[in-house]
Amino acid sequence: MTVELGTENISALSYDQAITEAEEILNRLENEKLPIDQVLEMSKRAAGLIKHCQGKIQEIGGEVDKILASLRADTTSGQSPDLPF
């Protein structure tokens, strides 16, 4: 994957794409001698990617919480949820 500088287009990335790109940037920052301006731009991009990933985790966590709450509600109301297990 090519590292794109700047913060544009981050919201269009999947979690896996964003985490992969963040890891690539961090690897380059750790292992390459880069001009300070490039370090700054890459750091901004990595921060944006990390925030995007955190948002995705929170979003999915909320969805999982809703699913679990629904299952608990079905169980306490006497309904048997249609679970495959």
Side-chain angles (χ1 to χ4, degrees), residues 29-56:
L29 290 171
E30 290 175 349
N31 297 310
E32 295 179 23
K33 275 190 136 177
L34 301 166
I36 193 70
D37 292 338
Q38 192 173 2
V39 169
L40 177 61
E41 287 303 311
M42 292 175 79
S43 296
K44 287 179 183 178
R45 177 76 179 180
L49 290 163
I50 291 166
K51 286 180 183 179
H52 177 68
C53 289
Q54 289 171 331
K56 289 282 189 186

Side-chain angles (χ1 to χ4, degrees), residues 2 23-24 27 38 50:
T2 303
E23 289 171 347
E24 289 174 357
N27 185 43
Q38 192 173 2
I50 291 166

Side-chain angles (χ1 to χ4, degrees), residues 4-5 9 11 13 18 29 40 43 48 61 64 72 81 83:
E4 297 177 31
L5 298 182
N9 300 321
S11 62
L13 297 176
L29 290 171
L40 177 61
S43 296
V64 169
R72 282 192 289 272
L83 299 176

Side-chain angles (χ1 to χ4, degrees), residues 1 8 21 28 46 49 51 64-65 74 76-77 82:
M1 174 180 284
E8 58 277 346
E21 185 178 342
R28 286 189 65 196
L49 290 163
K51 286 180 183 179
V64 169
D65 288 344
D74 288 347
T76 58
S77 68
D82 295 330

